[in-house]
Amino acid sequence: MRILSLLLLTIFIGTSCSSQKITDMTTTQMEYSAVSRGLYKKIIVENKTVSVINGKNTEPVKSKISDAKWKQIAAEFSKINLESIPTLKAPTEKRFYDGAAIANLKIVQNQKTYETQGFDNGNPPKEIEKLVNLLLAFTKE
């Protein structure tokens, strides 16, 4: 009986810890922005909603994120080391000569902000590439 109780307790603790990671996402805000002379794009994801702004003087288009898409975002987010975000290096430098817009990813979690250095729009550092591509997909929908 003790073994059964211990097994059930272990399973309960394990499942509550894994669901805690997704619960933490409800207080997390992710903001992707891309800016150049002719482009202004901002994507804000927070608590299963997304706001997309395409242009400086345009209103944001808000929509709900499906549960499947939210799970994808949460899974990719959990793979990122937030402390390393400010030190990520961009793979290309086209933004230095107007070859690409300057992009940036900012994550606010538990009242702490993690922000990347500028990188080329559409070509993020490898460590955050999958998450950025999921965020950019909202502009195509």
Side-chain angles (χ1 to χ4, degrees), residues 29-44:
Q29 180 185 32
M30 292 178 273
E31 181 181 307
Y32 177 86
S33 61
V35 180
S36 72
R37 283 187 280 173
L39 175 74
Y40 181 85
K41 181 187 309 184
K42 188 178 275 192
I43 304 163
I44 301 170

Side-chain angles (χ1 to χ4, degrees), residues 33-95:
S33 61
V35 180
S36 72
R37 283 187 280 173
L39 175 74
Y40 181 85
K41 181 187 309 184
K42 188 178 275 192
I43 304 163
I44 301 170
V45 173
E46 184 175 27
N47 198 14
K48 293 189 179 183
T49 60
V50 61
S51 298
V52 178
I53 302 170
N54 280 315
K56 283 200 183 254
N57 298 320
T58 60
E59 292 293 319
V61 177
K62 296 182 180 185
S63 60
K64 288 280 188 194
I65 300 173
S66 70
D67 287 338
K69 187 82 163 184
W70 184 252
K71 285 181 183 178
Q72 283 181 315
I73 292 170
E76 290 305 323
F77 179 79
S78 68
K79 295 176 187 176
I80 296 173
N81 177 3
L82 294 176
E83 298 297 329
S84 71
I85 284 181
T87 62
L88 296 177
K89 299 292 181 207
T92 58
E93 297 178 342
K94 293 180 182 178
R95 65 196 176 283

